[in-house]
Amino acid sequence: MSEQNRLSVFKTYKLYVGGKFPRSESGRVYEVSDSKGNWLANAPLASRKDARDAVVAARKAFGGWSGATAYNRGQILYRIAEMLEGRRDQFVREVGEAEGLSKSKAAAVVDAAVDRWVWYAGWTDKIGQVVGGANPVAGPYFNLSTPEPTGVVAVIAPQASSFLGLVSVIAPVIATGNTAVVIASEQAPLPALSLGEVLATSDLPGGVVNILSGKAAEMGPHLAAHQDVNAIDLAGADAALAKELEIAAADNLKRVLRPQPVDDWTGDQGTARMTAFLETKTVWHPTGSLGASGSSY
């Protein structure tokens, strides 16, 4: 068959939940267009049921992921960077179409996203030393503080600078042992959905990251009020939605990372996004004549 007579094989984009690729349980889709209004693909329009399934998957994965060694988590994050680098051409094309960028600018975004995975991979076994440590106390005992992951984190991904912003909000959540339920950019979800394919082939256990496409205004309030979601990152929420989600989250005392005016995700990320979803456990241990028993609080 000649090349000109071949039918194009269009990509079917799916959600990424629990390490698998389901369609939305509702069967709904919506059209995704490029910056010029040209049709690119149909993306699944995730429902509240899909969001609940993603929370179940994230909770199931939390024990194993949080219990893995920091060194092992770093290896897996580095593997994600490897797999993303191997599919660089695909992501350059998808990011260029999604964000209206030239090929060279899209390539710079993808390269920065790869570098960001590597950067957070290097932090997995260091963040504990930065934010934990021995505490000076006056008494016959010593006192140690160590960080622990918060749990299941819902993430509203950035709408602008969607791919680099997406990586910049997912990586710190999982680097510190949390699991994530991510609502991708509504206008540009395709690179995020393709990222699910990278995660699935990178040794990351299923359920550690779950990616949904659709309307944050539909799924966000449900996730914010969900009793089994421990924290929420409002990076991609506008002012009205952020206020609504923060109020919903207050009913069950979630940690909330409020949206910050970040237009350029290429700068130094610091440690703020990692420490936002860490809890501190303090352990004290008697010394000398008080015995060998210890306690924590």
Side-chain angles (χ1 to χ4, degrees):
M1 182 181 293
S2 65
E3 186 72 24
Q4 63 211 42
N5 292 328
R6 284 194 71 241
L7 294 174
S8 298
V9 180
F10 292 104
K11 182 172 180 176
T12 302
Y13 288 90
K14 298 181 181 180
L15 308 176
Y16 181 57
V17 176
K20 299 179 180 179
F21 297 92
R23 293 178 170 85
S24 172
E25 60 83 28
S26 67
R28 301 180 302 172
V29 298
Y30 70 101
E31 292 187 359
V32 178
S33 302
D34 63 17
S35 59
K36 297 179 181 179
N38 300 311
W39 178 86
L40 292 175
N42 290 334
L45 184 60
S47 67
R48 291 173 54 177
K49 174 62 165 57
D50 294 314
R52 289 197 298 271
D53 290 344
V55 173
V56 170
R59 177 57 62 192
K60 184 177 180 180
F62 176 71
W65 183 244
S66 62
T69 65
Y71 177 73
N72 181 235
R73 287 200 299 268
Q75 287 180 308
I76 292 174
L77 264 66
Y78 187 85
R79 179 64 173 165
I80 295 172
E82 286 184 30
M83 300 303 292
L84 183 56
E85 179 78 18
R87 298 176 64 167
R88 182 177 182 273
D89 290 345
Q90 172 197 343
F91 278 89
V92 168
R93 174 179 55 79
E94 289 190 343
V95 169
E97 291 173 343
E99 301 185 31
L101 302 176
S102 66
K103 185 175 181 179
S104 61
K105 290 183 178 180
V109 168
V110 175
D111 290 344
V114 172
D115 294 346
R116 186 126 309 157
W117 281 115
V118 174
W119 193 80
Y120 278 110
W123 268 105
T124 57
D125 60 355
K126 300 175 182 66
I127 189 67
Q129 283 71 43
V130 172
V131 300
N135 306 311
V137 291
Y141 54 89
F142 58 85
N143 187 289
L144 301 173
S145 293
T146 57
E148 293 186 341
T150 296
V152 175
V153 180
V155 179
I156 312 297
Q159 299 297 308
S161 302
S162 58
F163 189 63
L164 182 55
L166 175 80
V167 171
S168 299
V169 295
I170 294 177
V173 169
I174 66 172
T176 48
N178 298 286
T179 55
V181 176
V182 183
I183 302 177
S185 165
E186 183 177 348
Q187 291 76 28
L190 304 186
L193 297 177
S194 290
L195 180 64
E197 298 171 4
V198 171
L199 300 177
T201 54
S202 62
D203 304 328
L204 187 74
V208 173
V209 175
N210 305 273
I211 300 176
L212 307 172
S213 57
K215 300 182 181 296
E218 177 179 347
M219 292 179 284
H222 182 64
L223 288 173
H226 198 298
Q227 295 287 338
D228 208 22
V229 173
N230 304 108
I232 187 166
D233 183 347
L234 303 176
D238 60 30
L241 180 59
K243 181 178 180 179
E244 179 183 357
L245 299 188
E246 192 167 352
I247 291 172
D251 284 341
N252 44 60
L253 301 177
K254 283 182 176 56
R255 279 184 173 268
V256 176
L257 182 58
R258 295 175 176 84
Q260 300 163 4
V262 179
D263 296 322
D264 181 8
W265 291 90
T266 61
D268 182 10
Q269 296 299 290
T271 60
R273 288 193 170 275
M274 288 183 284
T275 58
F277 303 118
L278 286 173
E279 310 293 336
T280 300
K281 179 178 76 174
T282 301
V283 177
W284 63 269
H285 196 292
T287 61
S289 61
L290 292 182
S293 61
S295 183
S296 64
Y297 55 91

